[in-house]
């Protein structure tokens, strides 16, 4: 049997059983299962971790339940400004995009930046020019319109508040999506995609497209994808911090990721979590919020899907 493991997330935050009815829970677990199965199919047939994370994230981007791709939140101008990144642990090659709109699958544009350009990170109009050159799939505005996201935006649009992906004040939810994988060749990869914060302005960029902050992969250590209040994850250089603790301090993945999320992030005041895989294919999932949409599978173990603590 081919060795592999895969973990995905659909965001962390104040996700409580009391706020989730049975149907809603079923919708979320169904979407997570589908994305996990998409990535698993690639890994089980000997495909690469890079293809697996891109495929899993594409499926999550196509699902309006998550704040990425189709379900992206509205910015202060009432538009969608998406961002994504992908990294190959074997070569440390990476691609990232931000300030893009109308792109069906931002993670695949990030992959094209990595594969087909001399650059790592493209933004705004330039990234859109590149997208057209690369013939990535564009959709019209209506595809990204979601009644629930629109109501979230209407509630804050006349204020200076930039909100995390939530509707009620007590419900804080980060709907960013991500995937990390370990393949039969022993290669690691990570991908992350988001619509960012509701009502964000001034071209605000979060941690998701920033290599080392919200996303990182290195065959020598681990692959990491984060979700949470991006400003804290940028300041904490979270994804790279986990890798650095393993590389320079010989911590295990579990020790490093737990320390970064449960101690360092808490001290800094940052809320959120991460999914990670090490070079033996071991998975660690950590969060300091009430819940996190997450799922994982390996060659030896059946898929697991979880939402609450
Ligand atoms: N990390 C994302 C950001 O700050 C938000 C999220 O995880 O949902 O843009």
């Amino acid at each position: 049997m081919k060795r592999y493991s895969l973990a995905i997330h659909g965001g962390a935050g104040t996700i409580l059983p009391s706020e989730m009815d049975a149907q809603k829970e079923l919708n979320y677990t169904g979407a997570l299962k589908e994305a996990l199965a998409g990535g698993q199919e690639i890994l089980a047939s000997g495909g690469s971790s890079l293809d697996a994370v891109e495929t899993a994230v594409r499926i999550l981007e196509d699902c309006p339940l998550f704040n990425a791709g189709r379900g992206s939140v509205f910015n202060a101008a009432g538009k969608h400004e998406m961002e994504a990144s992908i990294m190959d642990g074997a070569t440390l090659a990476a691609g990232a995009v931000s300030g893009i709109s109308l792109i069906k699958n931002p993670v695949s544009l990030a992959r094209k930046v990595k594969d087909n350009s001399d650059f790592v990170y493209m933004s705004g109009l330039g990234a859109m020019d590149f997208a057209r050159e690369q013939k990535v799939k564009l959709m019209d505005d209506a595809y990204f319109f979601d009644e629930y996201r629109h109501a979230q935006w209407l509630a804050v649009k006349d204020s200076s508040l930039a909100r995390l992906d939530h509707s009620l004040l007590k419900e804080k939810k980060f709907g960013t999506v991500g995937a990390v994988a370990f393949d039969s060749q022993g290669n690691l990869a990570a991908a992350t995609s988001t619509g960012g914060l509701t009502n964000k302005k001034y071209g605000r960029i979060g941690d998701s497209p920033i290599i080392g902050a919200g996303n990182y992969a290195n065959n020598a250590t681990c692959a990491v994808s984060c979700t949470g209040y991006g400003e804290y994850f940028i300041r904490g250089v979270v994804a790279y911090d986990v890798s650095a603790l393993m590389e320079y301090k010989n911590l295990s993945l579990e020790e490093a990721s737990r320390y970064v999320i449960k101690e360092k992030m808490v001290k800094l005041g940052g809320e959120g979590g991460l999914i990670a895989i090490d070079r033996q294919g071991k998975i660690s999932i950590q969060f300091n919020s009430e819940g996190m949409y997450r799922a994982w599978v390996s060659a030896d173990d059946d898929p697991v899907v979880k939402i609450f603590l």
Side-chain angles (χ1 to χ4, degrees):
M1 189 165 50
K2 294 189 167 66
R3 286 170 63 218
Y4 66 83
S5 39
L6 172 70
I8 63 170
H9 71 80
T14 312
I15 307 163
L16 300 167
S18 55
E19 283 155 17
M20 181 84 58
D21 61 44
Q23 187 55 51
K24 205 168 157 194
E25 193 172 335
L26 218 60
N27 294 345
Y28 275 103
T29 50
L32 288 166
K33 267 186 201 150
E34 190 192 332
L36 193 73
Q40 183 185 10
E41 198 182 316
I42 291 171
L43 294 169
S45 57
S48 73
S49 52
L50 210 53
D51 287 343
V53 294
E54 182 186 353
T55 298
V57 168
R58 282 177 68 98
I59 295 171
L60 294 167
E61 285 175 340
D62 291 344
C63 173
L65 290 174
F66 303 103
N67 173 20
R70 182 169 198 174
S72 290
V73 297
F74 287 82
N75 69 7
K79 303 244 178 288
H80 307 284
E81 240 175 4
M82 303 176 284
E83 45 202 44
S85 64
I86 191 163
M87 187 162 186
D88 179 357
T91 58
L92 302 186
V97 288
S98 63
I100 54 163
S101 49
L102 305 179
I103 306 285
K104 181 170 179 282
N105 293 109
V107 70
S108 294
L109 182 58
R111 172 92 188 247
K112 287 194 186 296
V113 171
K114 180 185 92 55
D115 290 347
N116 303 339
S117 86
D118 296 330
F119 308 123
V120 167
Y121 193 164
M122 296 181 191
S123 70
L125 294 178
M128 292 303 293
D129 284 344
F130 180 73
R132 277 183 285 268
E133 267 173 43
Q134 294 289 314
K135 302 200 178 351
V136 305
K137 195 162 167 102
L138 293 164
M139 306 302 280
D140 56 17
D141 251 334
Y143 173 79
F144 298 91
F145 185 87
D146 181 78
E147 201 51 62
Y148 171 71
R149 304 282 182 216
H150 195 242
Q152 285 181 320
W153 173 63
L154 287 179
V156 289
K157 92 180 192 8
D158 295 323
S159 73
S160 59
L161 288 177
R163 287 269 171 86
L164 292 154
D165 175 22
H166 69 288
S167 59
L168 304 165
L169 268 179
K170 61 184 171 59
E171 182 201 336
K172 260 194 285 144
K173 177 161 74 63
F174 315 87
T176 290
V177 307
V180 288
F182 166 81
D183 65 28
S184 57
Q185 308 295 307
N187 289 322
L188 294 167
T192 307
S193 180
T194 189
L197 303 185
T198 298
N199 213 33
K200 64 183 179 181
K201 54 184 174 183
Y202 309 126
R204 183 264 184 190
I205 296 169
D207 58 313
S208 310
I210 299 180
I211 300 302
N215 199 68
Y216 189 71
N218 183 343
N219 272 8
T221 53
C222 60
V224 182
S225 171
C226 303
T227 172
Y229 209 112
E231 278 63 16
Y232 295 94
F233 282 72
I234 295 172
R235 290 164 56 201
V237 202
V238 167
Y240 181 73
D241 201 21
V242 173
S243 170
L245 285 168
M246 295 174 71
E247 185 170 357
Y248 303 121
K249 279 203 136 188
N250 275 322
L251 260 57
S252 70
L253 178 73
E254 186 70 16
E255 288 165 346
S257 51
R258 176 180 282 272
Y259 177 61
V260 169
I261 293 297
K262 301 248 165 104
E263 295 193 37
K264 290 180 84 173
M265 263 300 105
V266 171
K267 240 181 232 160
L268 201 60
E271 186 185 350
L274 59 78
I275 53 171
I277 295 190
D278 71 10
R279 59 197 179 124
Q280 274 89 43
K282 276 202 206 91
I283 295 170
S284 175
I285 299 183
Q286 304 289 336
F287 51 98
N288 60 30
S289 49
E290 269 109 337
M292 180 170 178
Y293 296 111
R294 60 203 189 277
W296 64 95
V297 68
S298 72
D300 309 319
D301 294 303
D302 290 337
V304 182
V305 181
K306 286 203 162 182
I307 298 179
F308 310 112
L309 265 179

